[in-house]
Amino acid sequence: MKPKKNGIWTSWNENLTYKYKSLYKVTTEKELQEIIAKSDKVRFFGSKQSSADIAAGLENLIDITSYNKILSYNDTEHTITVQSGLILGDLIDAVEAKGWCIPCLPDINTITIGGALATGTHGTSGKLLCEYMTSCTLVLADGSLKVINEADELMNAVRVSLGALGVMSTITFKCEPIYTLHVKEGPENDAKWLPKIKERLQKHDFLRILWLPHTDKGYVITGDKIDSETEIQENLGPEYLKHRRKASKILYKYTHIFPWITAIANKLLYKGFFSSKKEYKGSLYQATVTKSRGSTLELAEWTIGLDKFTAVFEELKTEINKWSNKSFIHIPMDIRFVYKDKSWLSYAYGKNIVTIGCVSRNAATADTYEAFKTIENIFLKHGGKPHWGKRFTAKDAEFSKIYEKWEDFKVLRKEMDPTNKFLNSYLTQLFNEKN
């Protein structure tokens, strides 16, 4: 196929730009195989929404966003098979049309399936999205195909692979019957919501907390499964709540110059947008997934064992509330919960975890956003792990200490990609390889 020549690749928030010599927009598995087989080095990308420098940086690039078909359903097994460039929102629409659901969904629906799997994307009160994958087809470095299913030992390495073992081609997901959530939202003091986490995880089917730094408040969201016909008294809050992003953009506009303004902005945003209660019902997708996201964001996210979270949270809160602090954090910090699994590079390998997101509303100045440095230092000290698709500076030396299967993954990666075909500069440093 004929590529686009000598262009510029730019990430969604324009923080990353790279020159390329050849960009291929694939639509078939055969095209994917042919391009990979003939390329000395190649990376691949979807919606480009990763804050990590994972998707580009090589002369040859593959755009998988047109490789996006739904291939088949199995009504008996409740499975759906799709191509890796399919957008998550389109996958969920198709699944819900069958009366099914994927029980744990990430916050955003505009990411591609392949990218979501490769970077360990997750929701809350369930497992990583990749844990619902029952089989997949990989295009290997030589262009050949390898089908992997749950019976294969390789599956636990492939579920979260950073695109370093091969290129995801087709994926089959196991679904469950759709259900309705009764969702309640409202503010609580930190002293109230923090000690009730384990109790709420046992009581509710869905739990998410939006922490509001510099306010001593959290915004607690719970969901309970109900019969779809159950009537509730819906309360969506004041009409002006839909303007939160616009207000945030205004209030945070100069916080990269005067970080202390953040503390004032957070208090104003809490009063305006997080102080009221809400109540509604819907499917997991309808009730809990953001349907769009502004490109002015830059994101970091860290995870820690559920048993350690309270202590780590208190340390983080103490640190950012010091008078000498430079880490004024934009709200909200998204706290979610993931159950243990066996995937080698999963944040939840062998233990239940808590994730906490950190956002800068000024993407262009994110390199000077002290909060990213502070949260990374604290979480690394306690054995925390960063989200693979978001911002962090840790590399091989740190990961060899916090991932039990890190060295095993590196050995496997070298076996499957002996010439480092799939490694860009970022991944080369991450794995401490010679390019």
Side-chain angles (χ1 to χ4, degrees):
M1 64 181 300
K2 190 175 181 179
K4 183 178 179 182
K5 290 288 189 178
N6 300 318
I8 302 292
W9 181 94
T10 305
S11 64
W12 72 305
N13 59 15
E14 300 182 349
N15 269 14
L16 301 169
T17 58
Y18 286 106
K19 293 180 180 179
Y20 62 80
K21 286 188 176 180
S22 299
L23 189 153
Y24 301 88
K25 197 173 183 70
V26 300
T27 58
T28 69
E29 188 173 67
K30 185 177 180 181
E31 289 175 342
L32 196 56
Q33 289 180 267
E34 290 175 349
I35 295 162
I36 291 170
K38 74 179 184 180
S39 299
D40 292 330
K41 303 279 287 183
V42 65
R43 281 305 285 173
F44 29 94
F45 66 90
S47 55
K48 303 192 286 187
Q49 292 194 51
S50 174
S51 291
D53 195 1
I54 194 172
L58 295 177
E59 291 183 348
N60 300 312
L61 298 178
I62 299 174
D63 181 347
I64 66 166
T65 54
S66 295
Y67 186 58
N68 58 5
K69 291 184 174 60
I70 296 170
L71 300 177
S72 65
Y73 300 91
N74 185 317
D75 292 335
T76 303
E77 299 292 331
H78 283 188
T79 61
I80 181 172
T81 301
V82 303
Q83 294 174 332
S84 61
L86 186 70
I87 297 296
L88 179 65
D90 294 336
L91 170 66
I92 303 305
D93 284 341
V95 165
E96 288 204 348
K98 298 289 287 185
W100 305 342
C101 74
I102 294 176
C104 191
L105 295 174
D107 176 58
I108 191 70
N109 71 344
T110 54
I111 51 179
T112 55
I113 300 303
L117 296 174
T119 55
T121 297
H122 61 87
T124 188
S125 304
K127 296 186 177 183
L128 268 64
L129 181 65
C130 63
E131 293 298 313
Y132 302 98
M133 177 175 70
T134 59
S135 67
C136 66
T137 303
L138 277 185
V139 182
L140 303 181
D142 63 1
S144 64
L145 299 178
K146 186 173 184 62
V147 178
I148 304 163
N149 58 48
E150 289 181 302
D152 296 321
E153 292 184 8
L154 196 58
M155 179 59 97
N156 283 330
V158 168
R159 289 189 191 279
V160 184
S161 69
L162 313 184
L165 303 180
V167 182
M168 284 274 189
S169 176
T170 61
I171 303 113
T172 298
F173 289 98
K174 174 72 172 179
C175 306
E176 294 183 4
I178 198 170
Y179 56 84
T180 299
L181 280 178
H182 179 191
V183 180
K184 295 181 180 180
E185 304 182 5
E188 289 185 10
N189 292 328
D190 292 346
K192 181 177 180 181
W193 67 259
L194 187 60
K196 294 178 69 174
I197 285 175
K198 291 184 179 179
E199 173 190 335
R200 280 180 161 145
L201 285 172
Q202 292 179 345
K203 181 179 179 181
H204 299 290
D205 298 298
F206 181 93
L207 176 63
R208 181 179 186 180
I209 298 160
L210 304 179
W211 184 46
L212 314 175
H214 314 296
T215 71
D216 295 322
K217 302 285 186 181
Y219 189 75
V220 179
I221 306 170
T222 62
D224 299 293
K225 293 179 181 179
I226 58 172
D227 186 281
S228 61
E229 300 301 318
T230 300
E231 292 187 6
I232 66 164
Q233 190 169 352
E234 188 176 81
N235 172 21
L236 298 180
E239 179 70 17
Y240 63 76
L241 292 181
K242 65 183 179 181
H243 299 300
R244 192 182 92 196
R245 287 183 187 170
K246 185 181 294 184
S248 296
K249 186 175 182 180
I250 294 170
L251 288 169
Y252 290 136
K253 185 174 182 179
Y254 296 108
T255 55
H256 61 291
I257 302 173
F258 307 106
W260 56 269
I261 295 175
T262 300
I264 299 171
N266 286 9
K267 289 177 173 61
L268 292 173
L269 288 166
Y270 161 69
K271 288 289 187 182
F273 299 95
F274 292 98
S275 59
S276 56
K277 293 184 178 182
K278 296 169 68 176
E279 186 171 354
Y280 50 93
K281 70 175 183 177
S283 70
L284 178 66
Y285 181 49
Q286 293 167 338
T288 66
V289 177
T290 303
K291 306 304 187 292
S292 65
R293 177 181 285 168
S295 62
T296 55
L297 298 178
E298 186 72 342
L299 301 161
E301 182 177 277
W302 284 80
T303 70
I304 195 72
L306 177 60
D307 58 333
K308 293 184 178 181
F309 176 71
T310 298
V312 173
F313 175 84
E314 294 286 14
E315 183 175 338
L316 174 64
K317 182 176 177 179
T318 299
E319 183 64 26
I320 68 170
N321 284 339
K322 290 178 180 177
W323 283 105
S324 59
N325 162 59
K326 296 180 181 179
S327 297
F328 292 94
I329 301 178
H330 298 172
I331 62 175
M333 294 190 79
D334 196 352
I335 299 173
R336 293 179 285 175
F337 307 89
V338 180
Y339 300 125
K340 64 182 179 182
D341 58 47
K342 296 180 180 180
S343 297
W344 291 8
L345 298 190
S346 166
Y347 328 109
Y349 180 80
K351 61 184 176 184
N352 297 331
I353 61 164
V354 183
T355 78
I356 182 165
C358 184
V359 59
S360 168
R361 301 281 170 183
N362 299 318
T365 59
D367 287 344
T368 60
Y369 188 57
E370 288 290 332
F372 289 151
K373 302 172 187 177
T374 297
I375 192 173
E376 177 160 355
N377 289 338
I378 291 174
F379 274 75
L380 272 180
K381 182 172 71 174
H382 294 279
K385 302 172 181 176
H387 190 297
W388 293 117
K390 299 181 182 177
R391 176 181 281 254
F392 60 88
T393 62
K395 297 290 188 293
D396 176 68
E398 290 84 7
F399 296 137
S400 64
K401 297 175 184 177
I402 59 180
Y403 278 97
E404 294 179 42
K405 304 291 285 186
W406 182 251
E407 297 302 327
D408 292 328
F409 185 87
K410 287 173 63 178
V411 170
L412 177 63
R413 191 209 65 77
K414 196 64 177 177
E415 291 175 356
M416 296 183 69
D417 182 16
T419 65
N420 296 337
K421 177 177 289 193
F422 299 129
L423 296 191
N424 60 9
S425 177
Y426 177 84
L427 291 172
T428 297
Q429 294 179 51
L430 198 71
F431 291 115
N432 194 25
E433 290 283 359
K434 293 181 180 180
N435 211 346

